[in-house]
Every structure is written in C-alpha cells, then in structure tokens.
Amino acid sequence: MISTTETAVTLEVNGTSRELRLDNRRTLLDALREQLELTGTKKGCDHGQCGACTVLLDGRRVNSCLVLAVTADGSTVTTVEGLAADGTLHPVQQAFLDHDAFQCGFCTPGQLCSAVGLLAEAEAAGEALDEPTVRERMSGNICRCGAYPHIVRAVVEVAS
Amino acid sequence: MREFGYLRPTDPVEAVRLLVGSPEARYLAGGTNLVDLMKLGVERPRLLVDVSRLPLGDVTPTDGGGLRIGALVTNADLAADPRVRAAYPVLSQALLAGASGQLRNRATTAGNLLQRTRCLYFQDTAKPCNKRSPGTGCPAREGVHRDLAVLGASEQCIATHPSDLAVALAALDAVVELLGPDGPRTLPVTDLHRLPGDRPHEEHRLLPGELITAVAVPPPVPETLSAYRKVRDRASYAFALASAAGILAVRAGRVTHLALVLGGLAPKPWRARAAEQRLIGAPADEASFTAAVEAELAAARPLRDNAYKVPLARNLAVRLLCDLAAKGQAR
Ligand SMILES: Cc1cc2nc3c(=O)[nH]c(=O)nc-3n(C[C@H](O)[C@H](O)[C@H](O)COP(=O)(O)OP(=O)(O)OC[C@H]3O[C@@H](n4cnc5c(N)ncnc54)[C@H](O)[C@@H]3O)c2cc1C
Ligand code: SF4
Ligand code: FES
Ligand code: FES
C-alpha cells in the first residue's frame, strides 16, 4: 500500500467498524479523541510515560499516544467506553467503584484499560496475581491523586 | 512533526529496497521510540517504512539447540516465552525490568536494540548535541550528566545506551541477523553498537538500509546459572542507572564459565572482558569477584555528578555473582 501524507484506514472501535481518512502523523489517541469523539481515553504526557492513553489494541494494552493510527489499519480497539457490555459495568469498573479507586478520575480510563489488559495477560499465562505483582504490572499508569492502594485492591479483587 | 509518506511492505526484501532508495526514510516497528522522537522533532523522516507486519514475529528453535528471535517479537511475548524463561532467565528478567506492560506489548526486539539514548540534551532540539547535530558540542559534560556514561565515552559524547535487552543479549553471545541490499549477514550483538569517539552520531554498525531480521541466541552453556539486576531511581518503570547481566558456572569452588555485562554505564552494553578473564579458574568468592570487577571498572572516567555509578556498579555486579554462585552451590 502506498500513500503520500494521508491514508484511509478501517478500525473496529468498541465493536463498530469505522472508516477514517487520516493524516499519517495522527496518533491513535488523537484519532479516537478528535475524529471519533471518544474522549474517555485521556492525553496526559503524550510520550508513553503516564499510561492515561491506554487502550486495548487487538486485545492488548498499549499506549495509544505512541501508536500512529495508520499503523492500526484493520485492528480492533477497545477504549474505556467499550468496556461495559449491555449496560452492565465491566467487573474491573465495578471494583473501582466499590473500592473508591479514583479521585479526580483523570487517570481512571487508562487504569481501567490497563487492568483489563493485565488480567488477560495473567490468564493467558495461567498466573495468579498477588498485590506486589499487580502493583508492578500497573506501574505504567501514573495517578496524580495517589489512588494506588485502592486501585491495587480493586484489581486484586477481580483477579481472585 | 514534519509530514511523511507511509509504506507497508509485505516482505523483507521489499522493505530493504524501499529504505535504500530513500535516504530520509526510517523503518517503523513498535514506534515506541521513533514516534516519540518524531514528536520531539529529533527524528524528521520523510517516509516511514512500516515493517511491523512482516513475518518476523516468531521465536523458533535453531538447529544447534538455541533460539532464533524474530526482529518483531514483542518484549512482552519474549519475556513470557516458556523456553526463554526456562533456559535464559537473564533475558526474561532484563525484559521485565524495562519499561511498562503497555510499552512491552509494542516494543520489539530489533527496535529495542536500536532505540536512542535518553540523554536530555539529545531529546531537546533547542540544545546543542554532537550526536543529534554533529559538531555543535556536548552540553552534558558540564551540565546534567548524572545518568550518563562512566565507561567508553569520549570528549564528544557521554551518552549511555538505554536498552536492558541488549545487555542480556550481549552476555548470551547472541548474534544479530541482518538483511541488506547485498543480501544477509550477521553481527555479534557485542559489535552492534559503536563507541562514540569523534563520531557520536554513528551509533551502530548497520549499513544503510539494513534490516534486522532476527537475533539468534546460542544454546545455554551447560551448568550455568544466569540473572539480570537493575538499579533505577524508582522500583519500576525507569531506565537503569546501572545494571548487570551475569552467566556463571562454578565447579569445585572455582569459576568455569563467566559472561558479565554492565548496562547503564556506557554507550553500549559493556562486556566485562577483563573481569571475565581474571575470574576463569579463580575462586568463586566475594573477594575474587570484587577484585575482578574493580579491575574492570579501573577504566571508568566519571564526571562531576556520576561518580556514584562506579561503586554502585561494582556492588551490583559482585552481589549478582555472589548470588549466582550461592544458588549454584545449593542446587
Ligand atoms: C516511558 C518509557 C520507558 C522505557 N523504559 C525502558 C527501559 O527501562 N528499558 C528499556 O530497555 N527500554 C525502555 N524503553 C524503550 C522501549 O523499550 C523502546 O522504545 C522499544 O523497545 C523500541 O522498540 P520499537 O519496536 O517500539 O521500536 P521503534 O520505535 O519502532 O524503532 C526504534 C528504532 O529502531 C529502528 N528499527 C526498528 N526495527 C528495525 C529493524 N527490524 N531493522 C532495523 N531497524 C529497525 C527504527 O528505525 C528506529 O530507529 C522505554 C520507553 C518509554 C517510552
Ligand atoms: S552526551 Fe551525547 S547525546 Fe548527550 S548532549 Fe552530549 S553529545 Fe548529545
Ligand atoms: S498520554 Fe500516552 S502515556 Fe501519557
Ligand atoms: S484519580 Fe486523579 S490522577 Fe488518578
């Protein structure tokens, strides 16, 4: 496939197929927020350092700020808006509510997507998740409000 | 970011042809370093050749009993591979000590080896930097160099190589497999990166257009144990201030095999050849480990704010070797 500065791509976002014409420079994060108006995914650092932009790309958690959208052509994307199924919160979302795992909520969409990805990774590897492991594996998500203890508890609860 | 064209070749030969024909083109794999640098304006390619879907994403056994790691195997998949975890713990540990879960899901073997230095001046286009703009100077020598090199640096550049994976692969005597316009060739990982000398902008020994297709790891040396250890400012999710990869075998209290590589200290993974030579046949105890590592670090030339790295690296390497020796004895 050849393109100069713009490329047409198809993405399946939260179960819906979307066709986009993209400037090659556009990141997946900006395509989601600006073009698809899915503003749940947050922009923090824009350099892979905070995890606010975490989404699931073909089922795996990634920093959408470092993914050029054109490279995701044909992929599936799940954002925080796509975690709940048929009006029922995802178990991780419910656990965050139950454990008071956020304050301002800015990092929360990324934390949620990261936790969902982490749980899938552990399940694929047949691993049990204890607190230190969850803390380490969630360390790519920075929370300015310091909600970590409650976040870790919420994730451990869903894991067990 | 400057505008760029985007191409997605379907086979490696085509990828090489595209890159060779366009001097301002770059290969794009996971993008976790290249896209970052494009945002900063440090990299300004006119064309991205997206290699991320080339069929180079598998880990396969080699005839000799080792493993061939495709260039596009992600850091997450490589760390989790049961063969890697069983036979090459140093490799798995090094990968898991780097970056975050999200980044490791994108970061690839080849991209990790060729990632650029984290020197702050290199990343800031408003500042001079011999590596980014040859001949403009090196503000790091007088400025912020707490993270930078104590071994192998030059007057022109004191950057460190940031990869954890490269340190482990250098200890394993891994070999990089390349495809260029004139066909395939190989290069030991220990020869992949250059020391800066007076040409700090030339970081590695790839020829123009060459594509890394795989990294081959020889079979584990019998009776060895291996491990990776990393010191960083936080408990996780930070680059190494110092790190060490060790592969050790001990018989009757004496060292019979040793590979030791230091990370975070030099512009490339620092294979501690002097320490290795001193230790083969020597007693596997703390005193001889300390003497050998100190002999290796005698080459260190620290600056105002990074002298702490010398004792840090010594303690780290000695502790690593003592722990491997104790573990070997217990087994
Ligand atoms: C916040 C943060 C923290 C990090 N922490 C760590 C850490 O602690 N330890 C660590 O080791 N790393 C760390 N990293 C770096 C990360 O591991 C690298 O960015 C990643 O491994 C690069 O791989 P990639 O596939 O994304 O490469 P890309 O960004 O796609 O490419 C990097 C370079 O390699 C070239 N390239 C890619 N593939 C090939 C190929 N097959 N042949 C020839 N050239 C090729 C590209 O042209 C480019 O120049 C961190 C990164 C971030 C953003
Ligand atoms: S240490 Fe190297 S990369 Fe850093 S400013 Fe000096 S020349 Fe540039
Ligand atoms: S916005 Fe992507 S990691 Fe911070
Ligand atoms: S809840 Fe405020 S940043 Fe995490």
Side-chain angles (χ1 to χ4, degrees), chain B residues 302-319:
Chain B
L303 298 164
R304 186 188 66 229
D305 293 333
N306 64 1
Y308 75 95
K309 282 193 173 193
V310 179
L312 181 68
R314 179 197 61 211
N315 295 349
L316 180 71
V318 170
R319 184 53 36 216

Side-chain angles (χ1 to χ4, degrees), chain A residues 13-14 18 20 26 28-42 79-81:
Chain A
V13 184
N14 298 332
R18 311 290 297 256
L20 295 172
R26 184 146 275 202
L28 179 58
L29 172 61
D30 287 343
L32 290 169
R33 288 180 57 85
E34 316 272 331
Q35 261 166 295
L36 297 176
E37 296 181 356
L38 290 167
T39 53
T41 307
K42 295 293 181 273
T79 67
V80 69
E81 289 94 340

Side-chain angles (χ1 to χ4, degrees), chain A residues 40-56:
Chain A
T41 307
K42 295 293 181 273
K43 185 186 283 196
C45 65
D46 213 20
H47 287 280
Q49 298 172 359
C50 76
C53 66
T54 304
V55 301
L56 301 169

Side-chain angles (χ1 to χ4, degrees), chain B residues 12 15 94 104 108 110 116 137 208 275 280 290 302:
Chain B
R104 292 194 295 268
T108 65
R116 314 293 300 277
I280 297 298
T290 307

Side-chain angles (χ1 to χ4, degrees), chain B residues 117 119 121-122 128-131 137-140 148 156-159:
Chain B
T117 183
C119 173
Y121 304 97
F122 173 77
C129 164
N130 285 331
K131 187 186 279 298
C138 172
L148 301 184
Q156 278 73 22
C157 180
I158 53 170

